[in-house]
Amino acid sequence: MHFKWNYEPPTSEQRQAAKELGEKLSISPILASLLIRRGISTESEAKRFFRPQLSDLINPFLMKDMYVAVDRLNDAMGRKERILVYGDYDVDGCTAVALVYKFLRQYYSNIDYYIPDRYDEGYGVSRKGLEYAKETGVKLIIILDCGIKAIDEIAYAKTLGIDFIICDHHVPDEEMPPAVAILNPKREDDSYPFKHLCGCGVGFKFMQAFAKNNGIPFSQLIPLLDFCAVSIAADLVPVTDENRILAFHGLKQLNQNPNIGLKAIIDVCGLNGRELSMSDITFKIGPRINASGRMENGKESVDLLVERDFAHALTAAKHIDLYNEQRKGVDRQMTEEANEIVARLESQQHRTSIVLYDENWKKGVVGIVASRLTEIYFRPTIVLTRDDNLATGSARSVAGFDVYAAIKSCRDLLLNFGGHTYAAGLTLKWDDVVKFRDRFQQYVDEHIQPEQTEALLEIDAEIDFQDITKRLHNDLKRFAPFGPGNPKPLFCTRDVYDFGTSKVVGREQEHIKLELIDSKSSNVMNGIAFGQSASARYIKSRRSFDIAYTIEDNTYKRGAIQLHIEDICPTEEE
């Protein structure tokens, strides 16, 4: 697949601003221009970006209902009430529950945690969970990463004498549940300055406020920041502002002294002895935490994350790793089946969205399949499966398109839905699936922009091979942690040639290992182009081409640089 490259050369004003900023910071104009593109134009902003400080975290009491939430938690502890920490079964929910439970159990023993079973109870607050709370004498439930739409369930809980504190980050409805406190920066009536916390982040802010109110040093919270980093990476929230601070220091914690459960997962992943990044969380750590909730019950992941004994944690991590292997097999099979359906449905070829449903698909894997299809076809995608007389599923979106708003436009057909711009979940009657599909697709047709369905690469800068030095590479690392809102810098170089030694590699000869030169220097650059072997014949023809790439460490040659090539484009086509 070839991408469309989107590159806007800097204006004369931007070049001048980059020059001045580079001189102040003693960095190259390339680095300075990357900062300017990220909206960072002053020396102080740059220093905060490169050296995120925990002291710059926002005052948690600026979040609406925070004082009420802390007072209710203090009252519960003072009265020795039983507290239940309740969360969603995905990575964000599990890490949030682990963080809040681990912090509070240091100061209070009458506390428990609960993760609903995806297959038996479904998403959010369940009647079974409330019955468990009632039977075990719970008086206060702290719910994380869900709950913002559980109006009837929380009203029922009140009749049982159970109060709720909601810590959520999903978009609220006009009507909100009758909870004691609702901590959610996306509330319309909340003036909290940063709106993009994940569920674990909201839980962290609650614990930060509780600590501050009770004279507990902030240093007691630092060992829990690795949970925040894992959640931010896995939930794909913007790695900007407060999330950047939490992710930066959370990664530091993950690399230096991770929680025992995370240490066990790192061991099982084979990531020991290397500097962990956000992509390691996204592709290695996060999927394993998710796997137990997808295949069996997410509570096993929380059990692992709060484990105190490393030997027990390692055994549990290996067990969860088996779930992940099972998940990969189901995921692969379902994605193949979904691709076959798309290929058969001629009408899908011209649509701006994809809605697929099959009553035999596994509920815990539909979100992954929706993500895969979005990546393949560059269209908002919904994948549904059957649960008795209901259809339940997940939606994923493309850059710039609000899939939550598209689903909300069909709310009269839905029994339940929730989420945010790029990911959502929904439940409806199985008999209404076709009607929903048509309505959803009509909304997307009317609202999506043509460029949002294109395979697009956003190029940060056009450079030559002579610009690629070890110093530039080391400086680029200071832009981490990477993620939405702060992607890894993507470069392009024009008129490059095969040095004569490039070759196809991989088990199925699907990748190209490249050695390249450009037209302006004699520098030979090593590169790897995954899944792009179709371009090998053109490359070996000795004609020039353009490449888009990120600059990486060469994992096989210590201290060396390697280009991770995203796209190869014959120069003649430009």
Side-chain angles (χ1 to χ4, degrees):
M1 173 190 295
H2 286 300
F3 292 82
K4 179 180 177 181
W5 297 9
N6 185 28
Y7 174 59
E8 293 183 13
T11 63
S12 56
E13 291 83 2
Q14 288 172 328
R15 281 197 298 271
Q16 182 60 31
K19 181 175 180 292
E20 292 172 4
L21 187 61
E23 288 171 355
K24 287 176 184 172
L25 296 171
S26 298
I27 59 174
S28 74
I30 294 170
L31 266 292
S33 68
L34 294 177
L35 290 173
I36 297 293
R37 285 179 69 87
R38 282 159 173 72
I40 298 163
S41 56
T42 67
E43 189 177 359
S44 60
E45 287 173 344
K47 286 178 177 174
R48 281 201 301 275
F49 179 80
F50 285 136
R51 293 193 292 273
Q53 301 295 314
L54 289 169
S55 57
D56 287 335
L57 288 173
I58 300 165
N59 178 357
F61 286 104
L62 293 178
M63 194 177 292
K64 190 171 180 65
D65 278 4
M66 188 63 81
Y67 282 105
V68 180
V70 171
D71 285 347
R72 181 64 185 89
L73 179 54
N74 284 334
D75 288 346
M77 289 180 163
R79 294 197 290 256
K80 296 186 168 44
E81 292 176 350
R82 186 154 184 79
I83 299 170
L84 185 67
V85 185
Y86 190 120
D88 188 22
Y89 35 62
D90 68 0
V91 177
D92 193 13
C94 289
T95 52
V97 167
L99 186 151
V100 171
Y101 176 78
K102 282 196 75 169
F103 185 69
L104 291 180
R105 78 176 177 189
Q106 299 173 84
Y107 311 102
Y108 191 69
S109 60
N110 196 13
I111 187 168
D112 192 8
Y113 58 89
Y114 189 91
I115 302 290
D117 185 291
R118 186 192 294 261
Y119 297 96
D120 184 36
E121 299 168 73
Y123 173 80
V125 184
S126 70
R127 287 295 175 112
K128 184 177 177 181
L130 293 177
E131 294 305 323
Y132 173 83
K134 179 187 173 186
E135 289 165 11
T136 54
V138 168
K139 293 297 180 187
L140 174 64
I141 293 178
I142 300 169
I143 187 162
L144 297 135
D145 192 36
C146 54
I148 198 66
K149 295 200 171 185
I151 295 168
D152 294 340
E153 292 82 0
I154 291 177
Y156 172 65
K158 284 187 76 171
T159 69
L160 302 177
I162 299 170
D163 284 339
F164 266 80
I165 295 171
I166 297 173
C167 302
D168 206 348
H169 71 124
H170 296 102
V171 180
D173 265 346
E174 290 77 15
E175 183 185 359
M176 290 196 287
V180 170
I182 299 175
L183 307 178
N184 186 334
K186 289 194 176 81
R187 288 178 61 166
E188 285 190 4
D189 58 350
D190 194 333
S191 58
Y192 191 76
F194 185 64
K195 301 297 181 185
H196 303 293
L197 292 168
C198 57
C200 187
V202 178
F204 178 84
K205 298 307 293 186
F206 183 23
M207 293 301 95
Q208 184 188 0
F210 172 79
K212 194 171 185 178
N213 182 261
N214 286 279
I216 299 169
F218 181 84
S219 58
Q220 296 295 105
L221 285 159
I222 291 175
L224 300 169
L225 285 170
D226 51 5
F227 290 138
C228 290
V230 169
S231 183
I232 288 166
D235 220 50
L236 297 176
V237 290
V239 188
T240 58
D241 300 316
E242 192 160 40
N243 279 344
R244 180 171 173 81
I245 299 171
L246 293 171
F248 181 90
H249 290 278
L251 271 177
K252 191 175 174 183
Q253 186 69 28
L254 193 67
N255 278 291
Q256 293 178 358
N257 188 23
N259 274 281
I260 285 170
L262 290 174
K263 173 74 169 69
I265 296 173
I266 290 165
D267 274 30
V268 166
C269 290
L271 294 173
N272 269 328
R274 53 173 281 189
E275 186 80 9
L276 299 176
S277 66
M278 296 293 268
S279 62
D280 290 318
I281 297 171
T282 304
F283 297 109
K284 298 282 188 179
I285 298 171
R288 283 166 172 80
I289 296 173
N290 251 337
S292 66
R294 292 192 186 282
M295 305 307 293
E296 291 293 335
N297 190 309
K299 186 174 181 293
E300 290 186 48
S301 286
V302 181
D303 293 342
L304 167 59
L305 295 176
V306 302
E307 178 58 61
R308 302 175 199 246
D309 180 85
F310 183 70
H312 290 159
L314 198 55
T315 300
K318 288 175 181 175
H319 188 59
I320 281 175
D321 194 49
L322 293 176
Y323 286 147
N324 194 48
E325 290 303 313
Q326 293 170 19
R327 188 272 307 165
K328 285 181 186 175
V330 174
D331 165 14
R332 195 177 300 113
Q333 180 185 339
M334 283 173 55
T335 301
E336 287 172 3
E337 291 173 5
N339 273 320
E340 287 171 8
I341 294 170
V342 174
R344 282 202 310 269
L345 295 175
E346 251 183 61
S347 61
Q348 290 283 6
Q349 303 300 320
H350 308 290
R351 288 198 178 274
T352 55
S353 63
I354 294 172
V355 179
L356 300 181
Y357 44 95
D358 187 302
E359 58 186 44
N360 297 313
W361 285 343
K362 194 169 179 67
K363 191 195 296 187
V365 186
V366 292
I368 297 177
V369 175
S371 294
R372 299 258 190 272
L373 295 176
T374 303
E375 291 165 5
I376 294 167
Y377 297 104
F378 295 93
R379 283 177 276 179
T381 299
I382 295 178
V383 179
L384 299 160
T385 187
R386 187 166 186 164
D387 186 2
D388 293 328
N389 295 319
L390 301 179
T392 181
S394 292
R396 296 294 184 269
S397 195
V398 293
F401 184 77
D402 189 342
V403 75
Y404 177 84
I407 291 169
K408 188 177 180 181
S409 73
C410 310
R411 65 184 308 159
D412 56 300
L413 296 174
L414 303 176
L415 300 174
N416 196 10
F417 71 101
H420 41 79
T421 303
Y422 294 119
L426 63 158
T427 303
L428 65 158
K429 292 177 182 174
W430 184 258
D431 293 343
D432 287 337
V433 167
V434 173
K435 193 185 298 183
F436 167 80
R437 179 198 64 194
D438 294 343
R439 285 261 303 276
F440 175 82
Q441 291 182 332
Q442 181 183 348
Y443 179 96
V444 179
D445 286 344
E446 292 171 357
H447 291 84
I448 202 163
Q449 300 301 310
E451 62 270 17
Q452 291 174 326
T453 60
E454 293 179 320
L456 193 66
L457 289 180
E458 295 285 350
I459 307 294
D460 282 288
E462 185 175 323
I463 63 175
D464 301 320
F465 284 172
Q466 63 192 8
D467 298 316
I468 303 173
T469 62
K470 285 187 178 179
R471 182 182 174 187
L472 175 70
H473 181 40
N474 288 332
D475 283 343
L476 287 173
K477 291 178 181 178
R478 297 168 65 194
F479 279 73
F482 300 113
N486 183 43
K488 188 170 285 190
L490 185 65
F491 301 101
C492 73
T493 299
R494 311 281 182 181
D495 289 326
V496 305
Y497 299 85
D498 176 27
F499 186 61
T501 47
S502 298
K503 58 184 179 181
V504 175
V505 296
R507 186 178 299 171
E508 297 177 17
Q509 300 287 284
E510 67 271 43
H511 315 308
I512 316 175
K513 189 174 184 300
L514 296 147
E515 289 189 334
L516 304 172
I517 54 172
D518 68 1
S519 57
K520 296 185 180 177
S521 73
S522 58
N523 292 11
V524 179
M525 294 301 307
N526 291 308
I528 183 75
F530 292 110
Q532 297 184 60
S533 58
S535 296
R537 180 173 293 179
Y538 184 92
I539 289 168
K540 298 302 287 183
S541 73
R542 303 287 292 175
R543 286 177 287 176
S544 72
F545 51 96
D546 305 335
I547 55 172
Y549 56 90
T550 58
I551 301 172
E552 312 286 350
D553 286 314
N554 187 327
T555 52
Y556 298 104
K557 194 180 291 183
R558 193 175 183 87
I561 294 170
Q562 178 174 262
L563 308 184
H564 182 180
I565 297 171
E566 299 285 346
D567 197 29
I568 297 166
C569 186
T571 303
E572 288 84 351
E573 292 185 10
E574 284 294 302

